[in-house]
Amino acid sequence: MAKGGTRNPMPKLPPEIRIRSFEEVALGFNEEQAIDEAERCLGCKNKPCVYGCPVNIDIPEFIRLIREANPVAAARVIKKTNALPAICGRVCPQKEQCEKVCVLAKKSEAVAIGALERFAADQEAKHSNPAEPPKPENPELCKYCVAVVGSGPAGLTAASDLARTGYSVTIFEALHKTGGVLRYGIPEFRLPRHILDREVDYVRSLGVKILTDVVIGKAVGVKDLLNEGFEAVFIGTGAGTPKFLGIPGENLSGIYSGNEWLTRINLMRAHEIDYATPIKVPKRACVIGAGNTAMDCARTALRLGAKEVTIVYRRSRAEMPARAEEIENAEEEGVRFQLLTNPKRFLGNERGAVEAIECSRMELGEADESGRRRPIPVPNSEFRIECDTVIVALGQNPNPLIRMTTPELDTEPWGGIIVDPRTGMTSIPGVFAGGDVVTGEATVIAAMGAGKIAAAGIDSYIRQKHNLII
Amino acid sequence: MDKQDQKTHVGKWPQNCKLASIEPEHLRNVIVRKEKLAPTVTLVEVRAPLVARSAKPGQFVIVWPHEKSERIPLTISDRNPETGTITLVFQEVGRTTIELGQRQVGEEIASVAGPLGNPTEIELYGSAVVVAGGVGAAIAMPIAKALKEIGNNLVVILGARERALVILEDYMRAISDQLIITTDDGSYGRKGVVTEPLQELVSAQKVDFVFTAGPLPMMKAVAQVTKPHGIKTIASLDAIMIDGTGMCGGCRVTVGNKTLFTCVDGPDFDAHLVDWDELQARKSFYFDEEKAQLKTIAGNKQ
């Protein structure tokens, strides 16, 4: 393939096979495809893709190394700025970031940067010795301890950057397993567990200590951390609080938040027979919302064996916030789309379980403040959708635990922690925050970018505090 | 930190150990004491140093006994910050509690996370009544103690199906001004249910505060008795939960027409405002699945 040629499509499991298991849908490039795709890169001097990446990976450089059949070296280049390449290569919205600004995207199709990142990371795992992590830049800093709250993308990134700089880092995780939303939120068919485990092991190999089952804000206050040996604290507790519709009947049984539905399956493995956490296999499931979480919920319901799964969304296809790729995957697998439809109330049976949604039809009016056309109810258009399972996937607000127990922490009225965007520092000196707990629900990579900014902020805070010239 | 130091830390936790020097090793949830309180009711004292140092009456932990278990909420019945241990009491009714009951002293519980939820508001009300049914006595235990310590006149009513299931009788007798026991079959104490002596009490004397813990139908009945008298009544709810930190919303409950989360807004709620029927329906949603899980353990044993 010459420079600029046609983009290699991502090989995928066929829909009829993949809906019967939780196997990863996207199979990744083989070596030939990867080199072919890497050859498309123009190697632009001004590197627009690097600036399109929230963590500024040296994209042309790693692609060059893939082209030279050295994917392990390519992975090392990525890991200089991104500790989680196998994850980002799978779940980043590249089309909105690096691939969006790729020069090729203007004429034909962008280089498949995400697929190449994934290729490099997976090849590195296959061919290299994981027990040779980079040495800390400044080992003398190890007498300074930093606490990281939450082991999701923001926390893992902040922790690995700080550990590489030389600090002693402890991650506190409230759940019994690491990874935060990467584990409880993202299904295995998009991000296999062994990939996540491998990336977390890499962070551990940098010297980061991870303590699970510690609920900061409850067992231990943020101030306690500062009083008991930590120079600084990074809060990366994510957007854990599910939004509901607030309409009648929403607490009927059989109505789940997207978080609950996914956590039962992804974290607790309710779908596996020998695991104790229960789940009911739906006959007809409705998923309310059309973001990535909604697609994940719908596709998970299909894999459990649901006969029919319908996305119910109040706007039209063009406004659906999920990645185009995920909508396409859901559609291929047989998820139905009931668009321009707004739930009004849930109806239950005599046992208090949901049996139908009463909805009204919508039409699109003028654009609202988000720039999307506002849905307006069509008068007298009420109708019912029969279902035995409803999954409300409207997004999440920031987790309230730390806010509730740390009154000195300045927060937005909607719950987000307020930080200095240049350093990530909150209203409490020495306490930093980043990721969804600051912005509300966003992407894995945005959280990682915020983790990097805060890690740099923490580094200069500690250096200033102790007048370090090292 | 060398090996010797680590050992010392385990032993002397938490006085000499700053948070920055904790190792995963220090947080292992080892069972140090186990007692059968009744044929299906078990008490375990387990190491959970970070929980023990901050837990308050009314708070709970999420327990995950092993890799394949469910995460279940259990109220912290007692704590000892010096030994870094907490006491949990549970009824062996489902697969997870039965498997938890099979753990012996010296063995480990995979995960104990907390303290979660809000502490019970303990005030000097004057005359307080604690009404507990079955294993609810263990939930009520720290509350009763705290109510007495602050100076309330305390009546405790313990109800159980039969004599063998009455637990914590001596403890409750020692801390209360009056202890009333009822059993459904009359095998011990008064024959009948807890609401009968409660009804008599609230009719005969001024009662300022009622705390109740136990089966949902009992707590609902307690609320019905106290409501006409306008007595402040707090129920400790036990809903289905996964994370216990406000993330899943599985534990939502309607209180005074508002949706609240038992884990972060509770577990204590105004018993007069709780939608008991909705809560009951949500709690029994997985009845069939839970029964099937029981067969799994029975099958394994053979």
Side-chain angles (χ1 to χ4, degrees):
Chain A
M1 176 75 61
K3 281 188 178 176
T6 326
R7 178 171 161 130
N8 286 274
M10 170 62 80
K12 289 198 283 190
L13 273 186
E16 63 279 9
I17 299 212
R18 67 193 198 222
I19 61 164
R20 282 190 230 118
S21 80
F22 281 75
E23 290 291 304
E24 188 171 20
V25 167
L27 300 171
F29 286 159
N30 61 27
E31 208 176 323
E32 196 186 327
Q33 289 163 324
I35 291 175
D36 189 64
E37 184 64 26
E39 280 172 353
R40 295 184 61 226
C41 176
L42 302 175
C44 308
K45 282 255 151 48
N46 57 349
K47 304 179 180 183
C49 49
V50 177
Y51 302 100
C53 169
V55 297
N56 306 118
I57 294 173
D58 190 347
I59 294 167
E61 175 63 8
F62 94 74
I63 292 182
R64 185 184 67 80
L65 288 161
I66 292 178
R67 196 161 56 222
E68 291 176 2
N70 195 350
V72 174
R76 297 282 153 84
V77 167
I78 301 171
K79 279 188 171 173
K80 276 188 195 160
T81 49
N82 178 353
L84 315 171
I87 293 172
C88 290
R90 287 172 165 83
V91 304
C92 260
Q94 291 95 2
K95 288 202 169 104
E96 308 297 317
Q97 299 170 168
C98 52
E99 293 183 15
K100 187 180 182 181
V101 293
C102 175
V103 170
L104 286 184
K106 286 178 197 144
K107 287 190 254 165
S108 58
E109 276 189 290
V111 175
I113 300 170
L116 289 174
E117 181 182 28
R118 167 187 166 149
F119 173 78
D122 289 356
Q123 291 299 308
E124 189 208 22
K126 240 188 241 168
H127 296 300
S128 77
N129 177 7
E132 34 175 293
K135 296 265 175 296
E137 289 156 26
N138 195 337
E140 284 170 56
L141 292 173
C142 78
K143 63 178 172 191
Y144 301 108
C145 300
V146 181
V148 169
V149 186
S151 67
L156 289 173
T157 304
S160 61
D161 275 18
L162 288 161
R164 289 187 63 163
T165 308
Y167 294 101
S168 295
V169 183
T170 304
I171 297 182
F172 294 92
E173 167 57 49
L175 289 173
H176 59 263
K177 297 228 164 153
T178 55
V181 69
L182 300 170
R183 191 172 307 266
Y184 74 76
I186 300 180
E188 271 184 281
F189 53 82
R190 285 214 288 136
L191 178 60
R193 290 298 158 258
H194 69 273
I195 302 284
L196 173 56
D197 290 339
R198 193 174 82 206
E199 306 263 63
V200 173
D201 284 346
Y202 172 73
V203 175
R204 276 204 186 96
S205 77
L206 298 171
V208 173
K209 183 158 77 185
I210 304 182
L211 301 174
T212 53
D213 304 311
V214 183
V215 188
I216 302 296
K218 284 290 188 182
V220 173
V222 169
K223 284 284 184 73
D224 297 335
L225 293 170
L226 292 176
N227 293 337
E228 290 189 55
F230 291 105
E231 298 289 329
V233 178
F234 173 74
I235 303 171
T237 48
T241 306
K243 291 180 192 167
F244 285 95
L245 290 153
I247 60 175
E250 202 162 20
N251 296 343
L252 289 164
S253 334
I255 303 182
Y256 303 80
S257 72
N259 264 0
E260 181 184 355
W261 179 259
L262 292 173
T263 301
R264 277 181 187 274
I265 294 156
N266 298 341
L267 178 70
M268 305 309 298
R269 318 195 70 80
H271 57 296
E272 290 184 36
I273 186 77
D274 48 345
Y275 284 73
T277 300
I279 193 94
K280 281 188 195 290
V281 175
K283 286 191 190 67
R284 301 185 68 181
C286 284
V287 179
I288 318 290
N292 288 323
T293 306
M295 299 305 144
D296 286 346
C297 291
R299 298 171 67 196
T300 300
L302 276 181
R303 282 162 174 75
L304 285 187
K307 294 211 168 48
E308 194 182 299
V309 180
T310 308
I311 294 267
V312 177
Y313 182 51
R314 63 196 182 118
R315 302 185 200 239
S316 75
R317 175 123 192 169
E319 289 82 21
M320 286 170 52
R323 286 168 77 189
E325 209 178 311
E326 302 307 333
I327 298 172
E328 188 187 302
N329 281 333
E331 208 159 36
E332 281 175 6
E333 289 167 13
V335 173
R336 300 171 184 215
F337 291 84
Q338 177 71 49
L339 304 175
L340 290 167
T341 300
N342 196 31
K344 305 278 284 183
R345 63 183 175 126
F346 297 102
L347 306 163
N349 61 19
E350 69 292 344
R351 283 174 291 113
V354 66
E355 58 178 13
I357 316 176
E358 189 180 290
C359 300
S360 60
R361 295 195 196 281
M362 311 295 276
E363 56 191 16
L364 293 180
E366 300 292 305
D368 64 12
E369 59 279 9
S370 74
R372 297 180 301 177
R373 292 178 66 193
R374 187 191 302 275
I376 304 164
V378 176
N380 305 318
S381 64
E382 281 74 16
F383 68 104
R384 280 183 182 197
I385 306 176
E386 309 288 324
C387 56
D388 59 357
T389 299
V390 173
I391 305 160
V392 181
L394 298 169
Q396 279 90 233
N397 285 321
N399 195 296
L401 275 189
I402 286 185
R403 180 177 81 232
M404 283 163 81
T405 51
T406 318
E408 308 91 324
L409 201 59
D410 286 350
T411 55
E412 302 281 1
W414 50 268
I417 296 178
I418 297 172
V419 299
D420 177 339
R422 290 161 306 171
T423 61
M425 182 128 86
T426 67
S427 54
I428 306 175
V431 178
F432 297 72
D436 286 2
V437 76
V438 168
T439 56
E441 196 189 5
T443 59
V444 168
I445 190 71
M448 292 176 61
K452 288 192 91 66
I453 289 173
I458 288 170
D459 182 37
S460 50
Y461 169 82
I462 294 177
R463 284 171 194 268
Q464 268 175 32
K465 188 174 155 192
H466 295 281
N467 286 316
L468 302 180
I469 41 167
I470 45 175
Chain B
M1 199 189 310
D2 63 25
K3 268 260 143 45
Q4 188 54 45
D5 268 357
Q6 281 193 14
K7 265 192 195 148
T8 330
H9 278 303
V10 175
K12 288 187 181 167
W13 181 275
Q15 297 92 326
N16 300 328
C17 188
K18 283 191 168 181
L19 290 168
S21 4
I22 313 176
E23 296 292 330
E25 162 78 12
H26 300 149
L27 300 182
R28 286 170 45 213
N29 305 115
V30 179
I31 298 175
V32 299
R33 181 165 71 97
K34 184 179 169 186
E35 242 177 80
K36 271 258 181 269
L37 299 185
T40 54
V41 181
T42 303
L43 173 151
V44 291
E45 187 177 342
V46 60
R47 290 191 75 258
L50 293 179
V51 183
R53 74 177 216 168
S54 52
K56 295 193 175 63
Q59 291 188 296
F60 64 93
V61 284
I62 292 276
V63 175
W64 182 67
H66 65 82
E67 178 65 32
K68 293 181 177 175
S69 303
E70 233 183 308
R71 287 168 65 97
I72 54 165
L74 290 176
T75 301
I76 302 163
S77 291
D78 202 0
R79 61 149 187 163
N80 185 337
E82 275 69 49
T83 56
T85 56
I86 59 170
T87 302
L88 305 173
V89 177
F90 53 94
Q91 187 156 25
E92 297 175 26
V93 280
R95 172 177 162 185
T96 303
T97 44
I98 290 172
E99 288 176 344
L100 183 59
Q102 289 166 351
R103 287 278 189 279
Q104 304 304 326
V105 170
E107 292 182 336
E108 231 175 289
I109 298 173
S111 160
V112 176
L116 299 167
N118 302 298
T120 301
E121 284 177 33
I122 303 293
E123 282 174 38
L124 181 55
Y125 295 101
S127 160
V129 180
V130 167
V131 187
V135 76
I139 298 171
M141 178 178 151
I143 313 302
K145 182 170 172 240
L147 283 169
K148 185 61 206 167
E149 277 173 359
I150 207 170
N152 289 289
N153 181 284
L154 178 66
V155 179
V156 174
I157 305 175
L158 288 186
R161 247 189 2 253
E162 52 177 324
R163 178 171 193 155
L165 296 174
V166 175
I167 59 166
L168 300 169
E169 179 188 351
D170 294 344
Y171 183 91
M172 290 296 199
R173 194 179 305 283
I175 60 160
S176 61
D177 296 286
Q178 190 191 350
L179 175 68
I180 302 168
I181 292 173
T182 66
T183 49
D184 294 2
D185 64 356
S187 54
Y188 194 53
R190 269 177 75 155
K191 182 175 175 9
V193 292
V194 289
T195 41
E196 290 157 19
L198 178 66
Q199 183 70 63
E200 291 163 17
L201 265 178
V202 300
S203 312
Q205 65 181 74
K206 189 169 164 298
V207 171
D208 303 298
F209 177 72
V210 171
F211 177 87
T212 183
L216 289 185
M218 184 209 81
M219 292 194 282
K220 179 184 175 182
V222 166
Q224 282 165 346
V225 169
T226 59
K227 195 172 182 182
H229 298 269
I231 301 166
K232 179 174 178 178
T233 303
I234 296 296
S236 175
L237 301 189
D238 142 40
I240 292 178
M241 284 180 198
I242 304 179
D243 61 291
T245 62
M247 233 177 62
C248 77
C251 66
R252 58 197 195 276
V253 53
T254 303
V255 181
N257 296 320
K258 261 173 72 181
T259 293
L260 297 174
F261 288 5
T262 306
C263 64
V264 290
D265 300 312
D268 289 357
F269 293 104
D270 183 334
H272 298 152
L273 299 178
V274 171
D275 184 337
W276 294 101
D277 297 339
E278 176 190 278
L279 185 60
Q280 184 69 60
R282 288 189 67 80
K283 256 211 105 168
S284 28
F285 184 57
Y286 292 110
F287 186 76
D288 295 342
E289 287 76 10
E290 280 159 8
K291 240 169 65 182
Q293 283 288 339
L294 278 180
K295 282 188 196 140
T296 323
I297 338 178
N300 284 345
K301 273 184 186 165
Q302 285 164 6

